[in-house]
Amino acid sequence: MLLTGAEILIKSLVDEGVDTIFGYPGGAVLNIYDELYKYKNEIHHILTCHEQAAAHAADGYARATGKVGVCLSTSGPGATNLVTGIATAYMDSIPMVAITGNVPKSLLGKDSFQEVDIAGITMPITKHNYIVKNVDDLQNIIREAFFIAQEGRQGPVLIDIPKDITANKAVYTKLIPKELKKNSTSFKEDILSELIQYINESERPFIYAGGGINSSESTQELVNFAEKINAPVSTSLMCTSAFPFDHPLYTGMIGMHGTKASNIAATKCDLLITLGARFSDRVISNQNHIKNAKIIHIDIDPAEINKNVKVNSYIIGDLKIILNKLIPLVKEKENKEWIETVDSLKEIKSVEINSDDDELTPEFLFDKLNKLNDGSFIITTEVGQHQMWSAQYFNFKDRRSFISSGGLGTMGYGLGAAIGAQIGKPNKQVFNIAGDGSFGMNCNELATVVKNKLPLIVIIMNNNALGMVRQWQTIFYDGRYSETTLDRSTDFVKLAEAFGAKGFRLNKRSQVEDVLKEAIASKEPVLIDYVIHCDKKVFPMVAPGAPINQIISEEDINNN
């Protein structure tokens, strides 16, 4: 069958199971959009207000569903607007295919109108990228791109298509997607025996689980493994929601804003079992207090082994396969004294409901959300204090229900990601928890939410400040608040109404529950302006470069 490049592209996307694309049209992709018009019953296109939001939406869709997210933009500024979203997906190992148009081949490299070398620009932030120079190669490139995005350590792939390629014709034959084979490339029996020996001999094992648990769909295997060896489990930000929040072995998030139990247990254990995590500097930036423990690392990416922390033993491969091999071979353990020690470090989350103080706090908001959560809530966040509060205080009941930019820390990520998550999971209730600073970077996407009638609820933790930066200025810069007090006159309620959404402003506790219930019941786009004090801080906290057991508390700050 002889088809144009644009037809081959769209048919190939359908062959790969793509049902949704997030994008923005332009001259270089007009042929593609003409074909999308013809295939609108098979592929749902979401027009965002900005290409960056298209990339974030594709990312959020992928995180919520486990499928490959797809975004599409025109050449030049349209392509460069995708870059931050591509980098966000790359840092967090999210499967995504970004498709960009470009000027015709004959104009490449001539500083043509709306021409950039997007393949060169994105080379460091993609698993692979392509410039399609022959229409005969297009179908195989698309098929290979989807395979690469999902194979091994997942990540984004970019396909740059000159406009004449979308007009030229080639033979199309329907092909099934390339088969993904999960494997353990470095799996050797002697290494497995070594790991088993470390585990069986340990008296104080501790598990540090990362985003690889989500990528490999290994939540149940993690639970089974932890229960068999009776090891406490901490999670990175990217693993939040992948381990049951109410499991007795769960110690919470680890790292700069991790729990006391997780951070201290990591320094007191005799065996640190690291699963699908990369020893980020926000988790363990100073190794001195974990050097007495043996360290096991299981990860799919060989580049992560011994990169940040030197380990005693490792296996490279798919977590699900490896855990399923390990579980029947390790001894069942009690570790009674160790469990009691870790349990004594756990701090009970409490919210003073009946306090005479009517001031709104993050803890109060999440207490109300937790009580309303029937298991259907997905939380997306921007980046900052509200992001940490979400991870600390919300009780996630389902995996893939926390969606946040971890590695890159992208302000402006959350609303685009919420759009993707809501479209990918239409039966879930998506909340985007935002700061007023982050929300200012992407508030135009409310138009996308309203146009598509998405029942998203945006909650702005409005402290009139760039809260996390202000917190650092308070603690480390003697309160010199350089450019972190926003002093903006934006009325978020009126802004929401201008876009066609419902708006609410909350100033006291007695309003919160009724407004949340009304917002959820409305099944409409809602924005809630949740007003908090500018000096509300995220605790616990570890200073940059300090060992994770040197925990700063609110009491420490109050006592200087």
Side-chain angles (χ1 to χ4, degrees), residues 223-299:
V223 171
N224 294 346
F225 178 61
E227 288 178 347
K228 183 155 188 190
I229 66 171
N230 214 26
V233 177
S234 67
T235 55
S236 70
L237 186 71
M238 287 293 92
C239 192
T240 300
S241 82
F243 193 83
F245 79 94
D246 55 354
H247 195 288
L249 289 173
Y250 187 46
T251 60
M253 187 167 66
I254 188 172
M256 180 176 281
H257 293 290
T259 64
K260 177 182 176 182
S262 290
N263 285 8
I264 293 180
T267 66
K268 289 184 176 293
C269 67
D270 63 3
L271 179 67
L272 181 62
I273 304 169
T274 305
L275 306 174
R278 59 185 180 86
F279 290 106
S280 160
D281 59 293
R282 286 297 174 102
V283 173
I284 299 177
S285 60
N286 186 319
Q287 300 178 39
N288 289 337
H289 284 66
I290 60 168
K291 63 184 180 183
N292 293 324
K294 297 282 194 303
I295 302 175
I296 291 171
H297 195 179
I298 302 175
D299 201 277

Side-chain angles (χ1 to χ4, degrees), residues 93 95 236 401 440 462 502 517 541:
S93 304
S236 70
S401 59
N462 184 359
K502 284 187 175 182
K517 286 180 176 178
M541 179 181 182

Side-chain angles (χ1 to χ4, degrees), residues 50 55 94 104 109 117 148 179 187 206 208 258 300 322 400 426-427 450 465 472 477 497 517 528 533 536 555:
H50 191 285
I94 305 304
D117 178 11
I148 292 172
E179 183 182 359
F187 200 85
F206 185 67
Y208 157 38
I300 201 163
I322 295 168
R400 295 189 179 276
N427 295 324
V450 172
W472 281 45
Y477 294 87
E497 292 169 349
K517 286 180 176 178
I528 298 172
H533 195 277
K536 182 66 181 172
E555 185 179 354

Side-chain angles (χ1 to χ4, degrees), residues 90-164:
Y90 182 76
M91 289 289 283
D92 290 344
S93 304
I94 305 304
M96 185 167 83
V97 172
I99 301 164
T100 56
N102 213 328
V103 298
K105 278 193 306 177
S106 61
L107 297 179
L108 288 173
K110 297 183 178 179
D111 295 330
S112 305
F113 177 68
Q114 291 194 332
E115 180 206 356
V116 296
D117 178 11
I118 193 62
I121 290 169
T122 59
M123 189 175 292
I125 55 168
T126 53
K127 281 188 72 178
H128 194 68
N129 62 28
Y130 302 86
I131 302 174
V132 184
K133 295 188 175 179
N134 189 323
V135 69
D136 293 325
D137 300 329
L138 179 58
Q139 185 177 7
N140 282 329
I141 284 174
I142 296 161
R143 190 164 173 256
E144 190 174 82
F146 275 82
F147 175 80
I148 292 172
Q150 299 171 87
E151 184 268 339
R153 181 173 179 172
Q154 298 176 337
V157 178
L158 180 131
I159 306 172
D160 191 39
I161 311 175
K163 187 172 183 179
D164 54 329

